[in-house]
Structures are given as C-alpha cells and as structure tokens.
Amino acid sequence: MRANHLYEADKAHFVHQQTDLDAFAKTGPVLMEKGDGVFVFDTQGKNYIEAMAGLWCSSLGFSEKRLAEAAYQQMLKLPYYHTFWGKGHEPSAELAERLTAIAPPGLNHALFQCSGSECNDAALKLVWYYNNIIGRPQKKKVIGRIRGYHGNTVATASLSGQPHMQADFDLPYGDRFLHISNPNFYREGREGETERQFSARMAAELEALIEKEGGETIAAFFAEPVQGGGGALTPPEGYFELIQPILKKHDILFVVDEVICGFGRTGNMWGSQTYGIEPDMLSCAKQLSASYQPISALLISDRIHEALVEGSRKHGSLGHGYTYGGHPVACAVAIETLKIYEERDIVSHVRAVSPAFLATLKGFAGHPLVGDVRGVGLIAGIELMQDKNGRVPFPAARKAGALVQKKAEENGLIIRAIGDRLAFCPPLIITETEIVEMGRRFATALNEAQKELL
Ligand SMILES: Cc1ncc(COP(=O)(O)O)c(C=O)c1O
C-alpha cells in the first residue's frame, strides 16, 4: 500500500486490536476510506466485497443514509443524556419498547450497553446478583464452550474459550469459569457417529460436568446459536434440543449470546428461533444498529427483573451502569435500523438469498482444499484440509487459512480465517448478483492458494 502521511502515522502510533503486531510492523495497515452497499474501498481506491460485514455487524452495508440522518437529527435535538437515577429520553424508551416487542417470549426488559462485551459482562454480573438476591449465594459458576466467544472484558474473555485471548492476560480470572467441548461435528465427530449421536455426547459431557461440580454451584450456561469467533460454526443436529432439558433440570440459566445471530442473520429474527432455544437472558449488539453506532442490549425475563427490583430494596439502587449505556444517538440509530428491517422485511430477504449463498459456498465442497462447508441464513464456514479424504488438517505452521484470506483480499474479497476455517457473513442486504461475484473472487483466491499449499 502506498505510503502517505496518515499511513505512516497509523504504523507509528495506532495500536491495532487483534493484530499480529510483529508482522504489522513490516506490512503496515490497510486503511479503508469509504463504503457503498456491500463494498468498501481502501485509500488506494481498491474495492472489496465485505463478505464479513466488517465484524459480523454491518447488516445494512456501508452507505445507508437513513442511519446517518437519524444520528444527525438526534445530535441536533439531544446529543447526550444518561440513563442513571431514573432519567432517560424518548429514544431509549422507544428502543426498549420496540426490542421487547420482537424479543423471544418472556424477555420483557432491556438494559442498554455499548458493546457485545459489555452486554455479556453485564449478563454475568446479573447472573451472580440474581442468585445472591434470591438466596442462592453458592450458585455462581458459569459454563462456556471451548472456542466460544463472548467478549474481551476480564470476565467475558474468561468465559470465552479462546486461548489466545487468555494467554499472558492471566485469564480465566478466578475459578468460576468452566468450559465444555466445542461442538464441531466435522472435526470432533467419531468414526461411525451420527450428528445427533455427537450432539448427545456433547450434552452428556455437559451433564457430567454439572454433576461433578454439583448443580447447586452452577448458575448459567452461555452459548451462541451459531458460533462466530469459533469458526462460523452451526450447531450439530439436536444440540440445543438435548442441552436445554439438562439446564432446566439443574435450574441453570441459559444466556443466549445473539450478538452475531440477532436480527435476521440465521433466517429468523433470532438464532433462538432457528434452533428452538428458550433464553432466560439474551444479549444482542452489532446488527441492532447495523453497527453504525456502538450499542448493545441485554434482554431479561420478568423473574430476573423482579430480583433486580428486590436488590434495589436491599441496596438502594441497581449498582450497575455506564456513562454511554443507552446513548440517545445510538438508540435513535438502532430505532431507524429496526424500522428499515421491518419495512424491507429483512428476514424474508435473508431467506430469499440464503439458498444462493449456501449453494455458492457448497459448490466449493469438491475443491481439493475444502473439507467441509456448513452454514445457515447468511453465515457459513468453510474448513480447509490438507488431505480431505484422509481428514488430515494442515499443520498450524502452514497458516493455510491466513493464506486464503490474503489471496481473497488481493482479489477484492474480505473473508476471515479462524485457524483454517474461513468465515463468510456478508451484509444482510447482499443480492444474488453480488453473491455470484463473491463466489467468483473466492474461487480465484482458493485456486491461487492451492498452488502454494498442495
Ligand atoms: C458472539 C459474540 N459475542 C460477543 C462479542 C463481543 O462484542 P464486542 O466486540 O461488541 O464487544 C462478539 C464480537 O464479535 C461476538 O461475536
């Protein structure tokens, strides 16, 4: 990339998150300048199909003027107000009303935060608070999944199962965080085991852990309907169906992390609907505002809300809150986003284009590098294999996924390599024509990578 003043400034002074900072010192940044629909353009004018919707979030693409206008109008009217001590504003009230109206049954209350991490962090705090208030102080441990991802705060990185986000950060913090296996049937399924049998084995592992620790010590289970950071991985058949009765039996709260899946990604408004999940709490963010503003919402049930009210009787207030939680500009943008989803029937659009999206990616199943392709709605993962017939993965040192990602970018396509799983999660507004172009650019990238890898 051509060096200019800001390129050099970035290289010298900006700390890039989730970046190999050693490699970065040599390669430097790619600076994006503008967006148009599903395309973004870097400062050199090169266009990319953003097949990851940024970070699984830009559902309405990169040029939705109505969202810019909603932010501008709210800034003129009331650019900031907080939501402490019973104060608020009309956008926070309207967004709470709209969200709880479309939420899964029973989730009648919304707590606004600024990010998915903060939202899950708040969920953890409320899980612990709830159990103290209702007189179960010993019920505090939480179960996440290896390779699950729930955020980057001290607590949510501890709950997540991402080793590189824990190593040398002294995480997981404390002894409340437990993890069960990642339900990746393709990689972890045993010889002759059906997908449903694999799910039953995963559920049995959960139950064994609960029994070993004692159900009276386990407060909550956190899971994403479809994993994002875990590899754009759909759950194996019957997984949530088999897991939920175990949680109910031990009175363990199910906190469903819909930070990626919420708002149509899986072909229903919620991933919970797609997989028959009944959440006790639900965290959502990203597509809530089409990512034009940082905002998240924790949706909670009446039973948990009642405990919060009881806690205020005990302590004088709900002792939790952020300066920017429920920011009026973010709420106004989220309201406009929800209006657009409704007017354009975004869920039906996802259902209409999903077959073309999945067929395009499944079309690569015969490619020598591709071992597995699975997805739902507009999210999918492709697993690369060194020897697909013998099911032999590439050695990690080959960095096969990273190579395909690089080749894709060279060909104007942004995807994400999570190890050797390639994630696709385009803006929900993507058209069939753009899906064809996405497939064309990916085919070129994959063939170029094949020459270097096999
Ligand atoms: C499932 C899930 N939960 C939580 C988060 C954290 O959200 P944020 O980056 O907004 O803090 C992410 C981010 O990618 C996510 O994918």
Side-chain angles (χ1 to χ4, degrees):
M1 178 153 290
R2 179 163 49 88
N4 63 20
H5 169 69
L6 290 178
Y7 176 90
E8 293 303 338
D10 185 289
K11 213 170 159 192
H13 303 296
F14 188 87
V15 181
H16 285 265
Q17 307 172 100
Q18 305 287 6
T19 296
D20 176 344
L21 297 179
D22 183 41
F24 174 81
K26 288 157 217 139
T27 59
V30 175
L31 298 180
M32 293 302 177
E33 187 171 41
K34 60 180 185 176
D36 184 9
V38 302
F39 290 88
V40 288
F41 299 76
D42 68 22
T43 45
Q44 307 300 299
K46 177 173 171 165
N47 78 65
Y48 305 81
I49 294 180
E50 230 307 354
M52 275 299 296
L55 291 173
W56 331 82
C57 55
S58 298
S59 47
L60 295 175
F62 297 86
S63 52
E64 180 49 69
K65 290 202 171 40
R66 275 177 64 179
L67 300 183
E69 188 61 27
Y72 179 59
Q73 291 305 331
Q74 185 58 43
M75 281 194 189
L76 291 179
K77 197 171 172 192
L78 181 69
Y80 172 73
Y81 212 73
H82 63 80
T83 60
F84 283 23
W85 312 308
K87 297 217 169 37
H89 39 76
E90 289 184 343
S92 61
E94 183 178 343
L95 184 59
E97 182 185 37
R98 282 182 181 272
L99 257 183
T100 52
I102 58 171
L107 301 181
N108 294 324
H109 310 270
L111 174 69
F112 295 127
Q113 314 284 271
C114 303
S115 67
S117 299
E118 276 183 11
C119 195
N120 285 321
D121 199 89
L124 282 162
K125 285 175 75 181
L126 294 198
V127 162
W128 294 327
Y129 190 79
Y130 166 77
N131 277 316
N132 285 329
I133 294 297
I134 67 167
R136 301 193 303 200
Q138 77 288 9
K139 203 166 170 68
K140 293 291 168 54
K141 293 176 195 160
V142 290
I143 302 177
R145 300 181 295 174
I146 294 166
R147 302 196 59 76
Y149 182 57
H150 304 289
N152 250 243
T153 62
V154 168
T156 55
S158 298
L159 170 68
S160 302
Q162 299 276 344
H164 70 291
M165 295 185 199
Q166 299 177 336
D168 278 341
F169 286 112
D170 288 357
L171 300 176
Y173 188 82
D175 53 9
R176 287 186 176 180
F177 300 98
L178 307 170
H179 296 90
I180 55 168
S181 295
N182 184 33
N184 183 338
F185 176 62
Y186 178 71
R187 288 296 282 267
E188 308 298 336
R190 290 178 185 155
E191 195 69 40
E193 192 175 43
T194 66
E195 201 164 317
R196 213 181 156 83
Q197 284 164 346
F198 173 73
S199 294
R201 180 155 65 82
M202 295 290 105
E205 183 192 327
L206 172 68
E207 184 142 41
L209 177 66
I210 294 168
E211 278 164 6
K212 178 173 147 269
E213 299 285 332
E216 72 288 354
T217 71
I218 314 280
F221 173 66
F222 281 67
E224 320 90 314
V226 177
Q227 285 184 11
L233 189 68
T234 51
E237 190 199 324
Y239 181 76
F240 288 115
E241 185 195 319
L242 293 165
I243 271 181
Q244 288 186 98
I246 299 169
L247 301 176
K248 286 213 167 73
K249 183 169 138 197
H250 295 278
D251 199 5
I252 293 168
L253 297 172
F254 191 170
V255 185
V256 181
D257 182 342
E258 296 246 16
V259 167
I260 287 177
C261 295
F263 310 102
R265 177 58 64 190
T266 65
N268 288 295
M269 185 53 76
W270 305 104
S272 292
Q273 283 166 280
T274 303
Y275 296 108
I277 302 172
E278 294 172 17
D280 294 296
M281 287 194 209
L282 181 155
S283 49
C284 59
K286 296 191 191 267
Q287 303 196 134
L288 168 57
S289 63
S291 74
Y292 280 50
Q293 281 285 296
I295 183 168
S296 58
L298 182 65
L299 304 178
I300 59 177
S301 62
D302 291 337
R303 134 167 114 127
I304 291 164
H305 186 258
E306 274 159 28
L308 301 189
V309 175
E310 186 56 35
S312 287
R313 288 188 199 109
K314 185 175 170 193
H315 300 293
S317 71
L318 173 64
H320 172 88
Y322 295 109
T323 301
Y324 302 120
H327 193 290
V329 177
C331 287
V333 170
I335 291 166
E336 195 64 12
T337 303
L338 297 187
K339 283 185 187 164
I340 294 174
Y341 290 161
E342 198 178 322
E343 283 167 32
R344 298 188 195 157
D345 194 356
I346 200 77
V347 171
S348 295
H349 175 74
V350 171
R351 288 183 182 192
V353 297
S354 170
F357 171 72
L358 296 175
T360 297
L361 296 184
K362 287 195 170 140
F364 292 99
H367 192 281
L369 284 178
V370 174
D372 185 49
V373 184
R374 57 186 71 209
V376 65
L378 280 177
I379 182 167
I382 290 186
E383 190 109 24
L384 300 175
M385 281 284 171
Q386 184 171 45
D387 171 8
K388 60 193 279 182
N389 299 323
R391 285 217 181 183
V392 182
F394 283 99
R398 297 285 311 270
K399 296 192 174 161
L403 178 71
V404 178
Q405 176 180 308
K406 181 167 159 280
K407 296 285 181 198
E409 278 184 29
E410 285 167 11
N411 284 285
L413 174 69
I414 296 183
I415 55 172
R416 174 163 159 199
I418 300 165
D420 287 346
R421 258 188 99 78
L422 304 172
F424 291 75
C425 184
L428 300 183
I429 57 165
I430 196 165
T431 62
E432 286 198 19
T433 313
E434 288 161 346
I435 288 170
V436 170
E437 180 59 13
M438 179 192 85
R440 195 191 64 74
R441 294 184 186 195
F442 181 61
T444 311
L446 205 55
N447 291 337
E448 286 176 10
Q450 183 190 350
K451 287 188 195 129
E452 293 183 32
L453 286 168
L454 293 184

